[in-house]
Structures are given as structure tokens and as C-alpha cells.
Amino acid sequence: EAGVTQFPSHSVIEKGQTVTLRCDPISGHDNLYWYRRVMGKEIKFLLHFVKESKQDESGMPNNRFLAERTGGTYSTLKVQPAELEDSGVYFCASSQGSSGNTIYFGEGSWLTVV
Amino acid sequence: EDQVTQSPEALRLQEGESSSLNCSYTVSGLRGLFWYRQDPGKGPEFLFTLYSAGEEKEKERLKATLTKKESFLHITAPKPEDSATYLCAAGGYGGSQGNLIFGKGTKLSVKP
């Protein structure tokens, strides 16, 4: 069974440009999460989808970040316009069912804004 | 404020030298305490979930325990392949499922 897959694995963009990260969760997982880790910091929660609905977006840093999950399958996270402080690794994760179930992570998308 | 603190930041062991990693947490009603292993350039790999004080779980050379304030990851007779960063994360009922508070991790190096 395929795990959580993320694209691209690495991206280098200039400040002010737009980047879109994609995540394909494990098949059948209704819950999809985005996290990120910036240099030297711990992993932080960004948001949680249940199917196509945003359950919790309390961790989204500002309105330059837009997450979507059309049809309740894959998800995209767009950063527009990107700033230097957005550099880091963005993790997508998914889980099945309700509270307490195992959350499986993808390999991450490494973003560098120059 | 919800918080997770891991210690030590780094730990160097000789192969076969057992030790423990600490995770202290403060969350509003613990939904679950998670341990992950992360290798360089990879995503976190799930190890354990603990739900209530007194609970213990084991997997090969690893054993996780939980109290009301902290969790320990005990490593018995480690091997070089156990070298990785070990992450602790807590989920509280103050946040939604998946709204985990992560520690910064403990980087474990096991020398042959």
C-alpha cells in the first residue's frame, strides 16, 4: 500500500513567487494534515482536513497560505507570494477515522525561498 | 500554553549501551502522546501512541512509558541502525485531532 506522497520533494523559488505543494494521502484516509518545520524549530501544525472540509486551520500563519482539498482526495498548499521566512520543510500526513488513530507522514517538501 | 520539551537534545551511545529519552509535556487534557522516529531527509515514522498514565508499549529494542507529566522512550541494547532523531508529540483536547505539539527531538547516535 502506498504511503503519503508529496510533490515536489524540493523547490527553490524567489521571494514574491508562488509555489504549490501537493499531497496524496493514503487511500481511504479521510483526515489530511499539513505541518511545517522551519530551520531550527520544531514541527508545527498548520491545518486539518476531514474529507474536503477544513476542520482546523488554526496553525496557518497568514493569508499568503491557501490549502485546498478538492473532492476529498489530494490536497494542495499554495504559498503566494512567498517570503524568505517561509523556507522550511512542509509535511503532509493522513489518518483514518476518529481521534487517536495513527497519523502517517509523508517525506516532506523542502522549500527554499531566496 | 501547551508545550512539549525533549531531553537531551543529542545522545551518543555505544552499541549495547541502554538509555532513556525524556519527553515532558503540558497540554490541556491529553488526547494522545506520540513517538516518531525521523531519519535525515525523511518524514517522521510512527512508533507508538500512549493514551493514559501507566501505559507502556514495546517494539523490538524500544519501550515507551507514560506518566501524567512525561513520557520516556527506553532503548535497550541499541544498535547503530537505531541512530535517528526521535520526536515526541502531544495532542490535547484543546485542539483538533492532528493538532499535535511537537518537541524539537533527541538526536541519537549509536556507535559500533
Side-chain angles (χ1 to χ4, degrees):
Chain A
E1 179 180 316
V4 178
T5 55
Q6 295 187 240
F7 304 96
S9 57
H10 292 80
S11 183
V12 180
I13 63 171
E14 293 184 352
K15 176 181 173 182
Q17 289 187 322
T18 297
V19 63
T20 300
L21 310 178
R22 172 173 169 143
C23 169
D24 287 78
I26 293 172
S27 178
H29 283 193
D30 288 338
N31 298 288
L32 186 150
Y33 317 89
W34 284 98
Y35 302 83
R36 77 170 178 178
R37 183 173 60 209
V38 297
M39 185 71 72
K41 300 287 188 179
E42 64 276 18
I43 296 173
K44 291 206 169 180
F45 168 82
L46 296 179
L47 87 161
H48 169 203
F49 283 100
V50 177
K51 296 185 180 179
E52 68 276 6
S53 300
K54 291 177 184 176
Q55 181 75 15
D56 180 356
E57 51 184 331
S58 62
M60 294 289 265
N62 52 61
N63 59 10
R64 296 186 293 104
F65 290 76
L66 175 64
E68 296 181 321
R69 191 182 183 193
T70 306
T73 54
Y74 72 91
S75 174
T76 58
L77 179 64
K78 180 189 288 188
V79 185
Q80 178 182 29
E83 299 288 344
L84 298 179
E85 63 264 25
D86 300 332
S87 296
V89 57
Y90 290 77
F91 292 107
C92 178
S94 70
S95 71
Q96 189 174 35
S98 59
S99 175
N101 281 356
T102 301
I103 297 174
Y104 297 93
F105 281 76
E107 302 279 82
S109 289
W110 295 75
L111 173 64
T112 303
V113 183
V114 296
Chain B
E1 180 183 348
D2 293 348
Q3 191 171 6
V4 171
T5 303
Q6 291 187 248
S7 61
E9 290 185 10
L11 182 62
R12 294 184 179 183
L13 299 174
Q14 287 296 127
E15 183 172 5
E17 179 186 2
S18 300
S19 188
S20 296
L21 282 54
N22 176 264
C23 171
S24 297
Y25 66 92
T26 305
V27 295
S28 304
L30 184 69
R31 184 193 295 264
L33 189 293
F34 301 82
W35 282 99
Y36 287 87
R37 168 191 171 129
Q38 187 173 24
D39 292 300
K42 302 291 186 180
E45 175 188 345
F46 173 77
L47 293 174
F48 305 107
T49 307
L50 302 168
Y51 297 101
S52 58
E55 189 175 2
E56 300 182 351
K57 289 190 176 176
E58 290 188 64
K59 179 181 179 181
E60 296 180 355
R61 295 176 292 282
L62 301 177
K63 178 180 176 180
T65 62
L66 182 66
T67 72
K68 289 186 178 180
K69 294 183 178 180
E70 55 193 351
S71 178
F72 292 93
L73 185 65
H74 307 278
I75 303 176
T76 302
K79 297 181 178 182
E81 53 262 42
D82 295 322
S83 297
T85 295
Y86 290 85
L87 300 171
C88 171
Y93 282 101
S96 69
Q97 172 187 352
N99 191 338
L100 303 180
I101 311 298
F102 277 85
K104 291 187 175 182
T106 293
K107 185 175 182 179
L108 175 65
S109 299
V110 182
K111 302 298 182 185

